Amino acid sequence: VKSVKLPSGASIKIFIAPADKSNGRAILICPGGGYAFIAGSNEGADWSSYFNNLGYTVAVIAYTVPPTSAGMPLKQAREAMSYLRDNGEELRVTTKQVGVMGFSAGGHLASTVATQTKGDERPAFQILFYPVITMDASYTHAGSRQNLLGSNTAPSLIKKYSNEKQVTEKTPMAYLCWAEDDATVSPRNSKEYVAALEKNNVPVHTISFPSGGHGYGYNPSFMYHDEIMTDLKAWMLSIDSTLTNINAPVVEVSGNSTFYNLSGQPVSTPKKGIYIQKGRK
């Protein structure tokens, strides 16, 4: 376990995957807490063994709460993602296949990372448990909105951090979990986000329960704990080939590129591998 202080004041605790199990991937976990506090270990460190056994190095972020500005949580999460990618040899992260996971308000942060980063910064996947997604006053979590946005209710800022409105076809594949009787964060948050993902043809897997409320996280005594563990593991294994085939993130370039890799992604300057030149074999 390694603890790291990030430049902006946040910190991450990193649980490095065992050498004999590591697949070179990592996951950044964002605990909830309504942007008022950092939730307990059931939304963070308790997940480390589960993901380590699947080959993933795990980093749990303690971001600044309450945020000093609406953009601070995203800034700190981006720093954490960069640290994982930039220290691959030490952390056994040998690829750029870093995903995000979040719970409640941490789910809002994780979905913000998923929808509001580009190119090399975009995560490979997102896992969201009972997430806050929107800042729409009609169904957001009021405490999270107040702590993130304060009294600033400018329509542009509300839209910016309503992540169901920020989904594009490039948003990473997703796994969402919620309980229908959640009285803290309305399940509509998850459902609106799923609808936006499906509208943009982004692969999304969901699992929901008729009861269970809010905040169960990794809690082994939760009535559906074993079902979640089995379902999530199956999903993680199902995306393995997709992640393996992503040799690099899409290179976003302005103008018309004349080169494409074999996945059909435009690249500004061919470097290594096999490329197709426009109009030629």
Side-chain angles (χ1 to χ4, degrees), residues 140-209:
T140 188
H141 177 250
S144 295
R145 171 174 151 146
Q146 176 62 34
N147 287 321
L148 183 67
L149 303 185
S151 59
N152 191 337
T153 55
S156 59
L157 200 62
I158 293 172
K159 180 179 179 180
K160 178 178 175 65
Y161 291 104
S162 292
N163 292 326
E164 79 280 8
K165 299 182 183 298
Q166 304 302 327
V167 174
T168 72
E169 69 279 358
K170 293 183 178 179
T171 299
M173 54 191 167
Y175 179 104
L176 276 89
C177 175
W178 70 89
E180 293 291 348
D181 68 345
D182 190 336
T184 302
V185 175
S186 169
R188 184 178 169 188
N189 282 264
S190 293
K191 294 175 182 179
E192 294 285 349
Y193 194 59
V194 169
L197 293 167
E198 291 177 340
K199 182 179 179 179
N200 285 273
N201 298 313
V202 176
V204 55
H205 175 86
T206 66
I207 182 170
S208 61
F209 309 102

Side-chain angles (χ1 to χ4, degrees), residues 203-225:
V204 55
H205 175 86
T206 66
I207 182 170
S208 61
F209 309 102
S211 60
H214 190 81
Y216 43 85
Y218 190 80
N219 184 0
S221 65
F222 178 59
M223 65 186 81
Y224 298 109
H225 175 79

Side-chain angles (χ1 to χ4, degrees), residues 38-182:
I38 301 299
S41 59
N42 72 312
E43 294 185 356
D46 289 355
W47 287 87
S48 59
S49 294
Y50 178 84
F51 286 116
N52 280 172
N53 285 331
L54 292 175
Y56 286 76
T57 285
V58 174
V60 180
I61 185 170
Y63 46 94
T64 301
V65 288
T68 54
S69 67
M72 182 55 72
L74 176 59
K75 174 182 173 66
Q76 294 180 329
R78 290 171 66 186
E79 288 180 353
M81 297 282 281
S82 293
Y83 186 90
L84 293 174
R85 291 169 173 143
D86 294 343
N87 294 273
E89 183 175 354
E90 177 188 1
L91 303 178
R92 301 198 181 107
V93 180
T94 58
T95 74
K96 294 183 178 180
Q97 296 166 15
V98 181
V100 291
M101 182 179 193
F103 303 79
S104 194
H108 182 267
L109 177 53
S111 63
T112 301
V113 174
T115 57
Q116 300 193 37
T117 55
K118 298 180 179 180
D120 287 356
E121 285 195 303
R122 186 180 289 120
F125 59 87
Q126 53 182 317
I127 302 171
L128 310 177
F129 275 53
Y130 41 86
V132 177
I133 291 293
T134 194
M135 290 292 111
D136 184 327
S138 66
Y139 67 104
T140 188
H141 177 250
S144 295
R145 171 174 151 146
Q146 176 62 34
N147 287 321
L148 183 67
L149 303 185
S151 59
N152 191 337
T153 55
S156 59
L157 200 62
I158 293 172
K159 180 179 179 180
K160 178 178 175 65
Y161 291 104
S162 292
N163 292 326
E164 79 280 8
K165 299 182 183 298
Q166 304 302 327
V167 174
T168 72
E169 69 279 358
K170 293 183 178 179
T171 299
M173 54 191 167
Y175 179 104
L176 276 89
C177 175
W178 70 89
E180 293 291 348
D181 68 345
D182 190 336

